[in-house]
Amino acid sequence: MTSLKFGTSGLRGLVTELVGLPTYAHVRAFCAMLREDGVTGEVLIGRDLRSSSPLIAAQCAQAVADAGLAPIDCGAVPTPALALAAMSAGSPAIMVTGSHIPDDRNGLKFYRAEGEIDKRDEQRILALSAALGLSAAPDVSVTPPSRDVLAGYVARYARFFGRSLEGMTVGVYEHSSVGRDVIREVLSALGATPVSLGRSDRFIPVDTEALRPEDSELAACWAAEQKLDAIVSTDGDADRPLVADEAGLFLRGDLVGALTARFLGADAIVTPVTSNSALDRPGLFARVVRTRVGSPYVIAGMADVKKDGARIVIGFEANGGVLLGSAVTRGGKTLAALPTRDALLPILSTLSLARETSQPLSAIAAGARFAIALSNRLQEIPQERTAGLIARLDADDAAFRQQAFAAHGGVAARDRSDGLRLTLGSGSTVHFRASGNAPELRVYVEAPDRAQAERLMQEYLAFAAAQTQAG
């Protein structure tokens, strides 16, 4: 049984199961789909900094060339920079990235000229891959021409934000993010002083939705050692942001998304069910649409609200990635839509909001009055075990479910939009779902205060571990 599957954002799996024929076959199938739809010409190819990405990108280029299209090597670039270049050129693209998952895994993210492929496209690629009947991948013999796609990405934000960060000092947690140098360049262009922190030559799987304890400890130490207005970072392919306040405390991704929507004046937001319940508070946004987890669902939701007449549409996920669903004009400057996850827009919007309001990020975060929400994961949990736990908790026989949550008032309501989200009698929530990108069980909790949230998380991580290990 292979680990390869389309998840919440592209094809992901073990490197050992992706390199060679699987990569070649999926890319050939993607190109076959494009050809069926009348697409010819260039296919842009980018990659992140994990160790397997150069080889997989070369195999992608070979497959594109063998399909009769023209591969273009865009090098190591942020996913949103590649997407912007592809959409601007009217060309499809392939990004080689496993995002936040460990270095022994990787993936492929496919773009049409209009943006990310959707779930229907994923099924067509799988069907075409099977129909091609390929038995082996050829050796890499093609050397595609290269193209710089970073300049346009930097210029996009330098033009729109101007010198909005003048006088700020911002730490950049670089680790192994493919966007680390671009972030420093843009911060400098906007008037900030970037401070390089934690650069690594080996790949570090930073997950913005389930931070490692050492990431939080590093940020707190850096903030204590020097005066910083904020610390920013991204996941591996720079489509999800990390923003920490002046004390090194990370803001949740959905809060960063909400602050971005506030700064840009959104009248509609689209966000998954895992995002904070405070977003539904009356008067915060004119319209809030909830979706399943994954950028394809958020993109579909953004398209729907635009059809319904929304002017400024912002999509974001609990992991922080922001999708700009419509053009935005602010201060006489217009930022074109970019309907794919982007880390740089929320980083710059959040920092600009702090600079504009003359408030520290900690005060802005406190003023948002979000419920205390935490997320974490159990790794190496097969999806069938997560599904088994969810099915048992959602079964018609309520005895097991009520017993599991009796200490918190039992279960008052269930939401099956994505996994199982349980509202407890105490008013807190616990949400279980399988990751779409890796064999992980995700756990999300909300509670009135941090101590309660941390207790809930500890309790139900242990509960989930015991249930899934029991099989």
Side-chain angles (χ1 to χ4, degrees):
M1 182 176 178
T2 181
S3 67
L4 293 180
K5 67 185 293 287
F6 278 103
T8 54
S9 184
L11 182 76
R12 301 279 174 83
L14 290 166
V15 169
T16 53
E17 295 178 351
L18 181 62
V19 166
L21 178 59
T23 288
Y24 185 79
H26 281 89
V27 174
R28 282 292 302 270
F30 172 60
C31 293
M33 180 183 75
L34 296 175
R35 297 296 293 266
E36 283 185 354
D37 295 343
V39 177
T40 59
E42 299 176 343
V43 178
L44 278 56
I45 301 172
R47 64 181 186 272
D48 66 15
L49 295 178
R50 65 186 63 225
S51 57
S52 60
S53 291
L55 173 58
I56 295 173
Q59 293 174 339
C60 288
Q62 186 67 51
V64 170
D66 290 348
L69 301 176
I72 303 295
D73 178 15
C74 298
V77 294
T79 294
L82 181 72
L84 175 66
M87 288 182 234
S88 299
S91 300
I94 303 168
M95 180 69 185
V96 179
T97 180
S99 184
H100 61 280
I101 58 180
D103 194 45
D104 66 343
R105 296 174 180 271
N106 211 327
L108 302 173
K109 192 168 184 180
F110 298 102
Y111 285 84
R112 289 180 174 273
E114 302 81 18
E116 293 182 34
I117 64 169
D118 59 24
K119 292 298 178 181
R120 291 182 300 253
D121 291 331
E122 291 176 359
Q123 293 307 309
R124 286 182 66 190
I125 290 170
L126 293 174
L128 285 165
S129 178
L132 286 170
L134 299 171
S135 59
D139 292 336
V140 174
S141 60
V142 64
T143 302
S146 60
R147 181 173 302 167
D148 173 22
V149 301
L150 292 177
Y153 186 61
V154 171
R156 167 183 172 85
Y157 291 118
R159 283 194 301 263
F160 184 74
F161 284 93
R163 301 287 289 181
S164 62
L165 304 184
E166 197 79 57
M168 295 188 80
T169 302
V170 181
V172 181
Y173 176 24
E174 298 183 348
H175 60 92
S176 53
S177 166
V178 74
R180 55 195 182 185
D181 296 334
V182 174
I183 292 173
R184 288 201 324 271
E185 182 178 353
V186 174
L187 288 174
S188 295
L190 271 55
T193 300
V195 178
S196 296
L197 303 168
R199 193 178 184 95
S200 175
D201 291 329
R202 64 178 182 85
F203 187 80
I204 298 175
V206 172
D207 185 345
T208 61
E209 200 171 27
L211 280 172
R212 306 173 308 154
E214 52 264 48
D215 294 320
S216 298
E217 291 165 6
L218 282 170
C221 288
W222 289 326
E225 290 168 356
Q226 50 195 310
K227 184 173 176 53
L228 301 170
D229 294 297
I231 297 171
V232 301
S233 188
T234 76
D235 63 344
D237 68 322
D239 70 346
R240 301 181 184 184
L242 270 178
V243 180
D245 66 18
E246 68 282 0
L249 181 64
F250 283 108
L251 279 59
R252 275 184 54 91
D254 46 11
L255 174 56
V256 173
L259 295 177
T260 302
R262 170 184 160 188
F263 178 77
L264 296 175
D267 60 341
I269 64 169
V270 181
T271 194
V273 293
T274 50
S275 291
N276 203 284
S277 59
L279 295 167
D280 299 305
R281 194 166 58 233
L284 191 59
F285 295 104
R287 185 170 182 188
V288 178
V289 174
R290 296 283 187 162
T291 72
R292 292 181 62 184
V293 174
S295 54
Y297 302 109
V298 175
I299 291 168
M302 292 194 303
D304 288 342
V305 296
K306 284 182 69 177
K307 289 177 184 175
D308 290 343
R311 290 184 310 105
I312 301 176
V313 182
I314 305 293
F316 60 86
E317 300 182 271
N319 57 36
V322 169
L323 304 91
L324 186 56
S326 55
V328 176
T329 299
R330 196 177 193 277
K333 300 174 182 177
T334 299
L335 189 66
L338 183 60
T340 193
R341 276 195 312 230
D342 185 11
L344 199 47
L345 177 60
I347 286 172
L348 300 179
S349 295
T350 304
L351 295 178
S352 295
L353 182 63
R355 184 74 175 80
E356 198 172 82
T357 60
S358 300
Q359 289 183 284
L361 281 178
S362 59
I364 293 175
R369 295 189 294 117
F370 265 39
I372 301 300
L374 303 176
S375 60
N376 212 322
R377 61 185 172 170
L378 296 174
Q379 296 179 287
E380 301 305 325
I381 304 295
Q383 290 203 348
E384 59 268 21
R385 292 204 173 186
T386 299
L389 169 62
I390 290 173
R392 192 175 182 197
L393 286 171
D394 198 30
D396 291 336
D397 181 358
F400 172 70
R401 180 172 61 250
Q402 291 300 113
Q403 181 180 9
F405 298 95
H408 305 284
V411 175
R414 287 173 280 168
D415 183 331
R416 305 172 184 85
S417 300
D418 195 342
L420 184 64
R421 188 175 190 269
L422 303 168
T423 300
L424 309 183
S426 64
S428 298
T429 64
V430 179
H431 184 176
F432 302 100
R433 61 175 290 272
S435 169
N437 295 321
E440 297 175 351
L441 191 163
R442 297 276 177 163
V443 181
Y444 312 81
V445 302
E446 283 192 15
D449 61 58
R450 179 163 291 276
Q452 289 184 60
E454 289 176 347
R455 285 196 298 270
L456 271 180
M457 178 58 73
Q458 184 177 14
E459 180 178 351
Y460 287 104
L461 269 179
F463 167 78
Q467 293 298 322
T468 52
Q469 287 167 7

